[in-house]
Amino acid sequence: MNSSSTEDLKRLRTDHIGSLVRPAKLRETFARYDRRRLSNEELRLAQDEAIREVIAGQEAHGLPVVTDGEFRRHSFQESFSEAVSGFDVPKDIGVYYEHRQLNENPLERAEQNFDEKGPAIITRRPAIKRLKLLRNIPFEEFRFSQSFAKKPVKVTLIGPDRIAQRFKWEAYMDVYKGLDDFVEHIVAIQRQMISALVEAGCKYIQIDAPGYTAYVDQVSLDRMRSRGENPERNLQRSIDADNAVIEGFPGVTFGIHVCRGNARTIDPKTGKLVPQWHREGHYDAIAERLFTSLKHHRLLLEYDSDRAGSFEPLRMVPKDKVVVLGLVTTKSSDLEPLDELKRRINQASRYLTLEQLALSPQCGFGGIDSKMMSEDEMWRKFDRIVDTARQVWG
């Protein structure tokens, strides 16, 4: 395996968020498994094959760090939800994915019913007993990929903020006394998961924290207040928790990914993949507090649409951090012009030096129950990112 130094990983110019387009064969295998027509072993073998191929693809296309594409997960949130016991969830989660209803209107905010009975974190579920770590899913994923990858393997974990936002704390108050008690326990579990990863040699760990944009989104803020929550307290609790999760792991590069949701659909008029989103609002209102307080080395920020606002909030980023600009969208198959990407990187460099910038997609390419582009279209986007990075940074 490539043994890039910690400093090399901190300064990567080309990055990606983790999930990749699932091959059609793997999507079909998941569907058959969810309908109980395949065994666990048959699913695992199909996943193994797809992961080997997608890591070889990432290496062939010049990506300096690779992931398993999150090919063992229905959703990126399963890094935690399927690793623990204690949530009140239905026994047959496959039924939920088969019948899940989402807003399919193109170029509109995508809404879902968070109160329906579905998987933990994807829907808002209570705990009927204190959570217990059963399987360290990211550790299992890393060990398999590490065994043959020639480049450093990045692992992704859902962060405490999203877990807390999707915890129905007001139910079963005899289990957890409230969000403070719950989040403190989440931190302890996730530190246990990360400790095993670090011991196994993982040098790059990404925390997925899409929920931070809820603190600039009026709909999300109203929902918090309707539940009797204080958004300011929620935000500070989440920042403190994210910092506590990664504290005391020298030699490991930590990134944190922030976005407004990765929903997308097919435009019935054109047949093309088009964007949706879950939250709206610029970074400005939380930039100083978020960018200066988080202790992560790399901030992977969505910047593929006007919903993100301008690059001006980047002036708040401390000089020891790298901002990975998510300029390439995963919500449309249209390929971004190289000159346009260079122009936008140049705009961002008015607020941070080029040494503090890098380039990536705005979010993951995957999501087994979502519309997505083709594998070829994804690889063309990666080639464009690699080519742009070479021209900008050499």
Side-chain angles (χ1 to χ4, degrees):
M1 187 189 78
N2 183 291
S3 57
S4 295
S5 71
T6 303
E7 285 305 313
D8 288 342
L9 291 172
K10 287 179 182 177
R11 298 291 170 182
L12 287 174
R13 302 302 177 198
T14 305
D15 209 335
H16 68 89
I17 306 306
S19 70
L20 302 172
V21 173
R22 269 72 164 180
K25 182 179 177 181
L26 183 60
R27 292 202 304 273
E28 292 164 4
T29 302
F30 256 107
R32 292 176 64 198
Y33 174 79
D34 286 340
R35 297 186 185 103
R36 300 187 175 183
R37 295 176 183 171
L38 284 182
S39 67
N40 289 337
E41 180 65 11
E42 288 171 311
L43 175 63
R44 186 189 64 78
L45 290 173
Q47 291 168 334
D48 288 353
E49 179 184 2
I51 290 167
R52 289 183 182 279
E53 290 177 359
V54 84
I55 286 180
Q58 291 168 78
E59 293 172 344
H61 284 265
L63 293 171
V65 64
V66 300
T67 75
D68 69 354
E70 299 179 5
F71 281 1
R72 300 196 192 276
R73 311 177 190 177
H74 285 93
S75 159
F76 68 104
Q77 295 162 133
E78 287 187 349
S79 63
F80 190 83
S81 65
E82 293 299 296
V84 299
S85 64
F87 282 115
D88 179 18
V89 294
K91 291 182 180 179
D92 191 354
I93 288 176
V95 173
Y96 170 84
Y97 286 109
E98 188 171 355
H99 298 289
R100 186 182 186 192
Q101 297 294 315
L102 296 173
N103 171 20
E104 294 290 335
N105 294 325
L107 299 173
E108 286 188 7
R109 184 183 182 114
E111 295 286 3
Q112 73 176 82
N113 179 11
F114 295 113
D115 292 322
E116 67 181 315
K117 196 166 185 180
I121 306 177
I122 291 178
T123 57
R124 195 166 174 265
R125 304 305 303 158
I128 52 178
K129 58 184 177 180
R130 290 185 75 85
L131 302 188
K132 180 180 179 181
L133 181 63
L134 296 182
R135 288 178 54 210
N136 191 337
I137 290 174
F139 171 77
E140 294 173 5
E141 294 170 339
F142 173 74
R143 287 300 298 268
F144 178 76
S145 299
Q146 181 197 40
S147 68
F148 59 86
K150 299 180 178 66
K151 298 285 182 70
V153 176
K154 177 167 79 168
V155 172
T156 64
L157 287 81
I158 187 69
D161 179 69
R162 167 51 61 85
I163 299 170
Q165 286 184 20
R166 299 288 173 80
F167 172 57
K168 199 169 186 176
W169 57 269
E170 66 274 22
Y172 303 107
M173 287 288 283
D174 56 329
V175 178
Y176 289 101
K177 296 179 177 63
L179 282 171
D180 287 346
D181 184 22
F182 178 73
V183 171
E184 184 178 335
H185 192 202
I186 295 306
V187 169
I189 293 173
Q190 293 204 304
R191 286 184 59 79
Q192 186 179 347
M193 297 169 78
I194 289 173
S195 293
L197 281 165
V198 173
E199 189 173 337
C202 187
K203 297 294 185 184
Y204 188 1
I205 297 172
Q206 175 185 300
I207 304 299
D208 287 321
Y212 275 121
T213 53
Y215 302 106
V216 297
D217 176 66
Q218 193 58 52
V219 173
S220 302
L221 292 169
D222 290 344
R223 285 174 179 158
M224 289 183 206
R225 294 186 180 107
S226 73
R227 299 192 295 261
E229 299 170 16
N230 181 334
E232 285 292 311
R233 173 65 188 132
N234 283 359
L235 175 58
Q236 190 59 53
R237 183 193 299 109
S238 293
I239 292 172
D240 293 342
D242 266 313
N243 286 337
V245 162
I246 69 171
E247 184 178 2
F249 295 107
V252 179
T253 295
F254 285 100
I256 190 163
H257 169 58
V258 180
C259 74
R260 289 159 185 75
N262 201 27
R264 56 216 161 183
T265 190
I266 302 298
D267 187 337
K269 296 180 180 178
T270 65
K272 295 180 65 174
L273 188 72
V274 291
Q276 294 180 299
W277 57 92
H278 293 300
R279 289 169 301 281
E280 302 174 38
H282 301 170
Y283 293 109
D284 303 64
I286 58 171
E288 183 170 9
R289 194 166 173 185
L290 196 65
F291 298 163
T292 62
S293 298
L294 289 172
K295 296 180 180 179
H296 303 66
H297 308 104
R298 296 171 69 79
L299 307 177
L300 297 98
L301 305 179
E302 173 190 307
Y303 262 114
D304 69 322
S305 77
D306 293 341
R307 284 181 294 281
S310 74
F311 294 122
E312 188 173 356
L314 298 183
R315 74 187 193 281
M316 306 289 186
V317 176
K319 296 191 181 302
D320 62 343
K321 298 186 189 303
V322 167
V323 169
V324 185
L325 299 170
L327 298 176
V328 174
T329 191
T330 64
K331 300 179 182 184
S332 166
S333 301
D334 295 340
L335 186 62
E336 289 78 0
L338 190 147
D339 286 345
E340 174 64 12
L341 292 175
K342 289 168 66 175
R343 183 186 70 81
R344 296 206 67 202
I345 294 169
N346 184 58
Q347 287 180 332
S349 70
R350 298 172 190 171
Y351 304 100
L352 290 176
T353 67
L354 279 176
E355 285 298 303
Q356 281 187 264
L357 296 174
L359 180 63
S360 78
Q362 114 282 351
C363 200
F365 283 95
I368 207 156
D369 64 334
S370 64
K371 308 296 190 298
M372 62 189 73
M373 64 185 68
S374 70
E375 291 177 85
D376 286 344
E377 289 166 337
M378 175 187 73
W379 292 124
R380 283 197 287 272
K381 294 224 173 201
F382 275 133
D383 288 341
R384 180 56 46 89
I385 289 170
V386 170
D387 290 345
T388 303
R390 286 174 178 159
Q391 291 198 27
V392 173
W393 289 283

